[in-house]
Amino acid sequence: MNESLWYKDATFYQVYVRAFRDSSGDGHGDIRGLTEKLDYLQELGVDCVWLMPLYPSPLRDDGYDIADYYNIAETFGTLEDFKALLDAAHTRGIRIIMDLVLNHTSDQHPWFQDSRADHHSPYRDYYVWSDTDQKHKEARIIFLDTEPSNWAWDEVAGQYFWHRFYASQPDLNYDNPKVQEEMMQVAGFWLKLGIDGFRADAVPYLFEREGTNCENLPETHVYLKKLRAFMDEKYPGRILLCEANQWPEDVRPYFGDGDEFHMGFHFPIMPRIFMAIKKGRSEDMREILRRTPPIPENCQWCIFLRNHDELTLEMVTAEERQWMWENYAPESRMRLNLGIRRRLTPLLDNDVRKIRLAYSLLFTLPGSPILYYGDEIGMGDNIWLEDRNGVRTPMQWEAGVAAGFSEAPVEKLYAPVIDDGFYGPERVNVTAQRADPNSMLNIIRHMISVRKGHLAFGRGEFEWVDIGNESIALYQRTYQGETILAMHNVSDRRQQITMPIKKPVTGMTDLLTGKEFVASGEGLKIALEPYQYFWLK
C-alpha cells in the first residue's frame, strides 16, 4: 500500500476550533480544548482533521482575514499548544491540515498598513493598487449581498485597492515575485512544525488580467505547481486540498498532471444530493458525475454535505437555484448570498432516514468524505445569527445550558448555544448518542468503520448501473478484484427492483447489516423501503 496516498482512503472532519471545546473558560473554543477531544474523533474513525483559521485576525471574516501568518491567535492558544495538538493527534494516527489563505490578507496586516502609508514601501507592490475602479470589469462580485465592487477606495493611499471578497480583505499581488516567495515561506513554516498539509482557500483568484473574469488564469496554475513542487521536495506525504467552487471541468486543471493539488472539493455534487432526496430522482447526481472528467491516478475528489459556509448554489442553473430556495430555504432569512444558511439536519427535516441516506451517498460516491463538526450528532442551526454564524454554534457535548462546551457563564460564550426544544443540547448531544446504539453518531461511526475496510470506496472505479428506475441511485465501485454495489432509494416510496446478474454470483451481502440476498434465475430481487440503502458485496 502506497502510504503517500493516505488521503484517498481517509475520512476528513472539519473543525471550527472556536466552537469545539473551551478549555480555559473564556467562552471561546481553543487548541487545548480540541486536544482534549481527540479521543472522540479517534472513536468516530476520523483520519484527518481540517482546522479553520487559527491565525491572529480582526475577525471581519471569521479568521480568513489574516493579520499575521506566522502565529496563533491568543484566543486559541500558543504555538506550543499547537505543537502539542499535532503530537497528540499523530500519536492517535490522526493527521491535521489547516487553512492556507493565499489570496488575501486582512487590511490590518502590517504589509497592507505599510503598503497604503508609503508609495515607496517595499510592501507597496504586495497589493493591487489603481487610480481607477474601472479595471477588470468582467470579474464577478462574490459577496453580492455586501460588496458593490471589487475595488475599494483607500483614503490613506489615495488610490483604489483590489479585493475579491470583503473590502477588509485586500488581495495580494501575485505578479510580485516577493509575494510568491513570501507565501511559500508561510507554507514552509507550518509544514516544518509538522502539519500534514493545507486546504488552500479561494485559489482561482490569485492573478488578475484585463479582458478576463480573473479566475482560473494560467499564471495561477504556474504558481500552484511551484508550491506543490516545493512541498513534494521538502515535505513528501503532505497534501494540498483545493477550494475552487467551480464546475468539475474547471476544477480539473487544478490537479494538473498529478503535480498541482492532491485533492479538490467537488462542489457541484453537493446540492444535487439534496435535489435527489427532495425530487425522489437521481438524475441530477448522474448528470454531474457524467460531466466530471477523469483525474490523475494520484489525485482525489473531496466530497461533503455541509460545511462552515452557506450551502452554495453557485454551481446550479438559475432555475435550479430558485427551486432549491423554495424547497430548502422557504424563509428569506434562510438565504444568504447565492446559498442557504442552514445545517444538514434541519435541511433534511430532521428525518433520520433522509440523513442516513445522505451519509450513505457521501461515503460511497467517488472521493474522500469530509464531515462538518456537529453534523454527526444532528446539530441544528440558528438562522437569526448574522452572516454564516448560524451554522457555527458551540458543539453540543452534553445536556446543560453550555452543552459541555465551556465552563464560562453562557453570556460570555462567543455565540449562543442552540436553545430551541428540538435541537438544543437537552435532546442533541454526544454523551446521550454515545450510549444509544441506534443514534446518528453510532450509525455514522459504523459507516466510517465499514468504509475503512474496503479500499474500493476510496480508490475504486466508479460506474452507474442503470435498472430503468429513476428513484434508485445504483453504482458500482471496483478495485483490485473487489466489487461493491451501492444502492439507494432516494424516494419516499417503496421500490421493488430486479437486478440482472452477469457474473456467476449466487447472492450478495450488505456490508452494513450482514443481510444476505440470494439471486434467482431472473437475477437479484430486492425491495427497498423509502430512503433505504445497501452496500452490497
Side-chain angles (χ1 to χ4, degrees):
M1 184 57 60
N2 185 345
E3 182 55 21
S4 67
L5 297 177
W6 60 268
Y7 49 91
K8 295 193 84 163
D9 311 307
T11 297
F12 289 74
Y13 186 93
Q14 179 186 359
V15 172
Y16 179 44
V17 176
R18 188 182 304 284
F20 208 58
R21 166 77 186 131
D22 166 22
S23 72
S24 64
D26 67 352
H28 293 257
D30 47 48
I31 291 166
R32 286 185 178 183
L34 170 58
T35 309
E36 285 172 16
K37 294 297 184 183
L38 286 173
D39 286 344
Y40 166 75
L41 295 177
Q42 187 180 15
E43 191 183 292
L44 182 57
V46 169
D47 300 292
C48 183
V49 174
W50 155 31
L51 305 178
M52 288 168 63
L54 298 168
Y55 311 94
S57 163
L59 299 179
R60 300 289 293 282
D61 185 20
D62 227 343
Y64 285 95
D65 47 332
I66 294 171
D68 177 1
Y69 281 101
Y70 296 100
N71 225 321
I72 298 282
E74 232 173 278
T75 318
F76 296 126
T78 62
L79 281 169
E80 272 52 52
D81 293 336
F82 187 71
K83 285 184 206 158
L85 167 69
L86 288 176
D87 290 344
H90 291 155
T91 303
R92 289 166 176 78
I94 296 174
R95 289 178 161 93
I96 304 261
I97 63 172
M98 64 193 297
D99 267 306
L100 181 64
V101 182
L102 292 165
N103 184 64
H104 46 261
T105 70
S106 162
D107 58 5
Q108 302 305 303
H109 197 295
W111 301 342
F112 186 72
Q113 292 300 325
D114 272 19
S115 183
R116 67 198 288 236
D118 177 5
H119 284 232
H120 303 291
S121 157
Y123 293 102
R124 179 66 183 173
D125 286 337
Y126 268 47
Y127 298 88
V128 181
W129 294 98
S130 168
D131 290 328
T132 165
D133 61 357
Q134 295 305 300
K135 287 183 179 173
H136 313 315
K137 296 290 276 183
E138 289 163 53
R140 69 195 171 103
I141 295 165
I142 293 166
F143 288 157
L144 278 170
D145 289 9
T146 45
E147 296 298 336
S149 165
N150 287 319
W151 290 102
W153 176 255
D154 185 71
E155 280 298 340
V156 178
Q159 276 186 310
Y160 293 95
F161 64 85
W162 178 253
H163 61 92
R164 287 312 297 272
F165 293 88
Y166 294 119
S168 55
Q169 293 166 302
D171 273 30
L172 286 163
N173 174 20
Y174 276 85
D175 281 318
N176 181 350
K178 285 185 177 149
V179 167
Q180 296 194 19
E181 187 50 44
E182 183 88 55
M183 296 315 285
M184 210 82 84
Q185 278 178 26
V186 167
F189 175 82
W190 296 101
L191 290 163
K192 194 173 173 189
L193 270 183
I195 68 152
D196 298 286
F198 299 106
R199 171 228 182 233
D201 180 68
V203 291
Y205 319 108
L206 301 187
F207 286 82
E208 299 75 40
R209 290 291 178 267
E210 205 54 58
T212 74
N213 68 355
C214 300
E215 295 183 24
N216 310 317
L217 296 176
E219 295 86 342
T220 294
H221 293 291
V222 172
Y223 178 70
L224 292 168
K225 280 186 200 303
K226 274 190 206 163
L227 177 60
R228 167 68 182 270
F230 161 75
M231 284 175 65
D232 280 353
E233 184 194 340
K234 299 256 188 354
Y235 303 99
R238 322 285 180 95
I239 63 160
L240 275 173
L241 165 58
C242 164
E243 190 222 13
N245 187 357
Q246 311 269 331
W247 294 105
E249 53 271 34
D250 296 326
V251 178
R252 171 63 188 86
Y254 286 95
F255 294 112
D257 297 319
D259 61 348
E260 202 163 319
F261 279 92
H262 301 79
M263 303 186 80
F265 285 115
H266 196 310
F267 275 91
I269 186 63
M270 178 271 301
R272 286 162 181 81
I273 291 174
F274 290 95
M275 286 155 84
I277 293 172
K278 189 65 82 173
K279 291 179 180 177
R281 297 199 306 275
S282 60
E283 73 233 12
D284 298 301
M285 292 194 303
R286 285 170 181 257
E287 184 45 43
I288 201 69
L289 288 173
R290 276 198 202 100
R291 261 183 80 171
T292 301
I295 57 177
E297 195 53 38
N298 62 336
C299 294
Q300 179 76 313
W301 291 106
C302 192
I303 55 176
F304 61 98
L305 296 170
R306 283 298 292 108
N307 62 16
H308 62 296
D309 287 334
E310 64 274 25
L311 187 163
T312 173
L313 298 173
E314 284 180 87
M315 294 301 120
V316 295
T317 65
E319 296 75 37
E320 287 169 335
R321 184 177 305 129
Q322 207 49 51
W323 184 90
M324 281 289 287
W325 273 334
E326 282 161 18
N327 281 281
Y328 281 109
E331 297 169 37
S332 64
R333 186 72 203 172
M334 295 172 174
R335 303 176 187 184
L336 180 69
N337 297 316
L338 287 181
I340 298 172
R341 52 165 140 212
R342 298 181 73 195
R343 260 193 188 262
L344 178 68
T345 299
L347 278 164
L348 294 177
D349 314 315
N350 198 26
D351 184 330
V352 172
R353 302 167 308 164
K354 293 180 188 172
I355 299 163
R356 291 177 180 180
L357 174 78
Y359 274 107
S360 176
L361 290 163
L362 178 74
F363 289 131
T364 56
L365 285 168
S368 295
I370 182 159
L371 285 78
Y372 182 53
Y373 88 94
D375 277 355
E376 74 275 18
I377 58 169
M379 271 175 60
D381 51 39
N382 180 349
I383 59 169
W384 303 104
L385 295 178
E386 283 311 304
D387 199 24
R388 299 145 158 187
N389 298 334
V391 299
R392 301 180 184 182
T393 60
M395 179 68 175
Q396 293 168 198
W397 295 103
E398 56 194 51
V401 285
F405 160 71
S406 173
E407 272 66 68
V410 283
E411 63 277 5
K412 285 271 177 68
L413 302 187
Y414 77 93
V417 174
I418 299 288
D419 66 351
D420 65 50
F422 209 67
Y423 291 110
E426 295 310 310
R427 281 189 63 166
V428 178
N429 69 70
V430 170
T431 307
Q433 291 200 20
R434 259 181 169 154
D436 172 6
N438 295 314
S439 67
M440 186 70 67
L441 177 63
N442 280 317
I443 295 290
I444 290 171
R445 200 176 133 198
H446 178 57
M447 283 188 190
I448 293 173
S449 140
V450 171
R451 191 181 189 280
K452 272 195 207 307
H454 300 273
L455 296 179
F457 290 121
R459 305 182 182 223
E461 294 296 313
F462 172 88
E463 189 189 347
W464 285 104
V465 179
D466 193 4
I467 50 165
N469 182 335
E470 263 302 334
S471 295
I472 302 291
L474 175 62
Y475 42 86
Q476 186 167 292
R477 306 303 311 268
T478 316
Y479 184 70
Q480 291 185 346
E482 180 177 47
T483 298
I484 297 168
L485 278 170
M487 180 183 286
H488 301 83
N489 177 4
V490 297
S491 78
D492 59 1
R493 300 211 171 125
R494 192 169 193 262
Q495 303 289 336
Q496 179 79 43
I497 65 165
T498 303
M499 212 170 57
I501 299 284
K502 293 179 191 147
K503 295 179 188 164
V505 174
T506 51
M508 293 194 175
T509 306
D510 177 28
L511 293 173
L512 294 167
T513 59
K515 183 176 176 177
E516 298 199 347
F517 298 88
V518 182
S520 66
E522 299 155 71
L524 205 61
K525 287 191 169 174
I526 296 182
L528 288 107
E529 298 305 322
Y531 309 115
Q532 194 173 19
Y533 51 86
F534 296 115
W535 300 0
L536 299 174
K537 178 175 160 68

